[in-house]
Amino acid sequence: MTSVLDPTAEQSPSSRARLVRPDQLEGLTVGLLDISKPRGDVFLNRLDELLTGRGITVKRYMKPTVAKPAPLPLRQQMVGEVNLVIEGLAD
Amino acid sequence: MTTPEVTLPADGLIAVVKRDCPTCELTAPVLAQLLAKGGVTVYTQDDPSFPESVPGRIDDTSLNVSHTLGIEIVPTLIRRAGGQEAARTYGWDRGEWERVSGVKGLGEALPPIRPGCGALNLEPGAAEDLRIRFGQTGLTARSVDFGEDEDEIEAIYERGWTDGLPVVPPTPRRVMRMLAGTTRDPKEQLGLCPPNLAPLTVEKVAINAVMAGCKPEYLPVVLAAVEAVLDPAFTMHGVLATTMFVSPVLIVNGPIRRQISMNSRGNALGQGNRANATIGRAVQLIIRNVGGGRPQEVDRATLGNPGKYTYCFAEDEEGSSWEPLSTDFGVARGVSAVTVFAGFGLQGIVDQKSRTPESLARSMAESLKAIHSVKLAPACDAMMVVCPEHERTFRQAGWSKARLLEELYRLCEIPGEDLVVGAKGIDEGYGPSVLGKTRNKFRPGGLFIVRAGGGAGMFSGIIGGWSAGGFAGSLPVTREVKS
């Protein structure tokens, strides 16, 4: 019998249920996160118009660079200020 | 596995010998003498019939007793008292044997001193097997047992632990041998390995280095490369997750290159050199297996590049008139170091006619300006691999590396008229705000030069980078190689 040593991190993924989606946006604050990809602002500006036009409060955020995860202070700021976040993932 | 039980005499003399040792043969009459004068327990490592002069000798071909006693040289003579070791000597030294045994007049017919021989329990392979048998490996990784009829190469494929090519099965024996290549503790944590940010230990690096085909003496280079990759400035998560072509490119400087016979000359970026091939592969396997970075999962590369199997080479410092790449990152010449650069493929520069540095620099700049797109500036960082016949032109004209870089930056300043959307009939490009201005192909400090390659061929190469180069993306990182 051959025994080998596990080359992986020996971790098993944990599953977390997604948050329940809100039935409606009225009365909620929506964060729009620009991840700094080119033309992401085109998409988010249009969403901003549509949401604001429906009387929904919108707050805008931007990652300093597309190459790295959002800094912790930015994530904490969004958690404290909005009910949900929309981001554009790619150009 | 049950750990062997070893019972030693609580009091008295112990000798450990082997037949394949002339000094042990020499001391056989002395052991008989000690037996007659109060007794000695003799353990034999190789031939249980040796020494014939000691009838009660004990077979230690399992080497369990030798391992327990920590024998390094045979013969070894030990005196025990009250279950503890009281004195020890090894080889043949009459005075020492008399001191340890308390018996005078030993081996008077023998020369006074003879050195001993290496003990079998320390031979490569045996030492690792004994530590495994006694549960003293110090390894903490989970052991995965394959069935009798299972092909281990196939079993490893099925677990998804390979890059698509077969790997060397990381048995405990091989991993322990690999760890002998460093003085670092197997449990030492090197950091969190992207993309899953899993803790990465020296032991996990060693396991993957075995799989990649590394020799133990390569391990310090792999460890330095991994430390560089884990530096947040390198942004390994982004380098992996991007749709672009990049992956870590490893460039090795300093004396370690020659110590482990790396290739920095002909075909330096190609196949055929074990160190070049396996060090780069080990880093890739670590990202895959420990970090969980797999193609079409977190690795979103559109095309990738063949260097994602392995991409590692050494700089030809001896053949170069320029300072090594590592010195650009603050590591002194003569110190072994690894630089990791987020790069892709290789774009050849062919210029067989330029005989002046000015012409050759212009030629190189035109090739550099084509990286990613002729319409994008700045595009990315780039590593230019200059080959000997091109360097000769600069050397003869007295151009330093800094001078060449300065010239290349100047030549890579591009008019906005060439970059605006629609210029050259290409829609890629920038808005009209670039008109009347210039943009440089590279951010300041985003162009690097390294020397490698064979003696024939008026060529050089460009390793392009990630569009998110520099402080907003990935910076090259250099780490010294430590033993």
Side-chain angles (χ1 to χ4, degrees):
Chain A
M1 180 184 70
T2 301
S3 296
V4 300
L5 295 172
D6 189 338
T8 74
E10 301 180 36
Q11 293 177 330
S12 36
S14 57
S15 300
R16 282 181 301 180
R18 285 184 174 168
L19 292 176
V20 179
R21 289 191 176 204
D23 294 332
Q24 55 180 31
L25 296 176
E26 281 69 23
L28 302 179
T29 302
V30 176
L32 296 180
L33 174 62
D34 187 334
I35 65 167
S36 293
K37 270 270 185 183
R39 294 174 57 80
D41 56 340
V42 175
F43 171 66
L44 294 176
N45 286 346
R46 181 69 180 131
L47 279 183
D48 194 343
E49 280 174 27
L50 291 170
L51 292 168
T52 307
R54 287 166 59 178
I56 295 161
T57 307
V58 170
K59 286 181 176 285
R60 301 291 293 261
Y61 304 93
M62 190 168 188
K63 273 173 57 173
T65 167
V66 69
K68 304 184 189 201
L72 184 61
L74 176 60
R75 282 181 274 159
Q76 290 175 330
Q77 184 191 358
M78 289 190 291
V79 168
E81 294 179 351
V82 304
N83 301 104
L84 60 112
V85 171
I86 299 171
E87 66 174 87
L89 274 180
D91 48 354
Chain B
M1 190 184 295
T2 313
T3 305
E5 283 191 23
V6 172
T7 308
L8 297 168
D11 299 285
L13 293 173
I14 290 175
V16 181
V17 296
K18 68 177 185 184
R19 183 186 289 281
D20 185 28
C21 165
T23 305
C24 294
E25 294 264 21
L26 188 78
T27 55
V30 182
L31 293 170
Q33 210 178 343
L34 286 173
L35 191 63
K37 294 206 174 180
V40 59
T41 306
V42 177
Y43 295 94
T44 307
Q45 292 196 326
D46 53 356
D47 180 353
S49 67
F50 174 78
E52 288 79 358
S53 59
V54 181
R57 63 195 171 262
I58 298 173
D59 179 349
D60 190 41
T61 50
S62 71
L63 301 172
N64 287 343
V65 171
S66 299
H67 177 74
T68 303
L69 288 169
I71 302 299
E72 296 180 0
I73 301 287
V74 286
T76 288
L77 183 68
I78 296 169
R79 178 160 50 82
R80 287 172 61 85
Q84 301 290 320
E85 181 169 322
R88 174 184 294 224
T89 185
Y90 49 83
W92 163 247
D93 179 324
R94 183 182 299 116
E96 276 290 287
W97 278 58
E98 288 181 349
R99 177 186 68 81
V100 171
S101 66
V103 178
K104 296 293 176 193
L106 289 177
E108 286 178 329
L110 306 184
I113 291 177
R114 278 285 182 276
C117 302
L120 288 181
N121 52 298
L122 288 191
E123 294 226 327
E128 290 85 0
D129 287 348
L130 283 160
R131 285 170 59 199
I132 292 167
R133 198 185 303 160
F134 280 82
Q136 297 164 338
T137 63
L139 302 175
T140 55
R142 181 175 70 115
S143 179
V144 179
D145 304 328
F146 298 147
E148 290 290 345
D149 297 328
E150 222 172 352
D151 182 305
E152 64 246 41
I153 304 287
E154 295 297 332
I156 289 172
Y157 267 114
E158 283 166 20
R159 282 163 177 79
W161 294 345
T162 92
D163 50 13
L165 293 171
V167 295
V168 177
T171 59
R173 189 182 190 185
R174 289 189 177 120
V175 173
M176 287 167 68
R177 278 196 196 173
M178 182 60 65
L179 284 163
T182 180
T183 57
R184 299 172 75 164
D185 185 345
K187 295 183 184 65
E188 181 187 344
Q189 289 217 5
L190 300 167
L192 298 176
C193 187
N196 291 350
L197 299 181
L200 177 60
T201 60
V202 169
E203 179 181 340
K204 290 290 182 186
V205 171
I207 294 170
N208 283 281
V210 167
M211 294 168 72
C214 291
K215 288 177 151 184
E217 53 264 42
Y218 306 168
L219 184 60
V221 183
V222 178
L223 287 166
V226 165
E227 287 180 317
V229 163
L230 262 50
D231 187 316
F234 184 68
T235 319
M236 183 62 226
H237 186 125
V239 170
L240 179 87
T242 180
T243 46
M244 295 200 78
F245 322 90
V246 292
S247 69
V249 179
L250 278 45
I251 301 111
V252 182
N253 282 108
I256 192 77
R257 295 164 305 126
R258 300 187 75 173
Q259 288 161 7
I260 61 174
S261 302
M262 291 192 74
N263 185 15
S264 62
R265 299 196 169 175
N267 205 43
L269 275 62
Q271 83 288 12
N273 177 280
R274 182 171 176 180
N276 290 32
T278 60
I279 291 169
R281 190 186 188 202
V283 171
Q284 289 288 345
L285 285 174
I286 288 162
I287 298 298
R288 176 187 181 90
N289 287 329
V290 181
R294 295 163 186 241
Q296 299 177 352
E297 294 180 19
V298 178
D299 183 342
R300 306 306 300 171
T302 307
L303 276 178
N305 81 82
K308 293 179 90 166
Y309 285 103
T310 180
Y311 208 154
C312 175
F313 63 98
E315 179 158 18
D316 179 15
E317 296 179 25
E318 293 74 15
S320 173
S321 64
W322 293 333
E323 286 300 302
L325 177 72
S326 51
T327 64
D328 297 342
F329 298 92
V331 176
R333 188 186 189 111
V335 174
S336 296
V338 182
T339 298
V340 58
F341 173 72
F344 65 87
L346 189 73
Q347 174 188 329
I349 301 174
V350 178
D351 185 323
Q352 306 187 85
K353 293 187 178 156
S354 288
R355 293 293 185 276
T356 65
E358 292 82 6
S359 169
L360 188 52
R362 278 192 290 271
S363 188
M364 289 173 159
E366 288 303 311
S367 290
L368 285 166
K369 285 193 280 190
I371 304 176
H372 284 195
S373 165
V374 292
K375 298 296 297 291
L376 294 174
C380 61
D381 288 0
M383 179 81 63
M384 200 164 72
V385 188
V386 178
C387 296
E389 290 205 301
H390 274 172
E391 189 222 336
R392 183 183 58 205
T393 299
F394 298 112
R395 181 197 303 232
Q396 288 172 346
W399 278 37
S400 66
K401 189 160 80 171
R403 169 80 193 276
L404 175 57
L405 280 170
E406 186 185 325
E407 197 65 17
L408 290 172
Y409 278 115
R410 191 182 65 76
L411 293 165
C412 285
E413 195 70 25
I414 305 169
E417 284 68 18
D418 290 347
L419 299 170
V420 72
V421 167
K424 302 177 194 276
I426 301 170
D427 291 342
E428 180 61 273
Y430 303 95
S433 63
V434 296
L435 294 170
K437 300 173 189 162
T438 61
R439 294 175 73 119
N440 202 288
K441 187 73 181 180
F442 302 101
R443 69 179 175 92
L447 183 58
F448 308 92
I449 289 178
V450 61
R451 262 282 287 105
M458 300 191 74
F459 313 135
S460 289
I462 298 166
I463 302 172
W466 187 22
S467 64
F471 295 98
S474 177
L475 287 169
V477 176
T478 300
R479 282 285 179 278
E480 285 184 25
V481 176
K482 301 172 198 161
S483 60

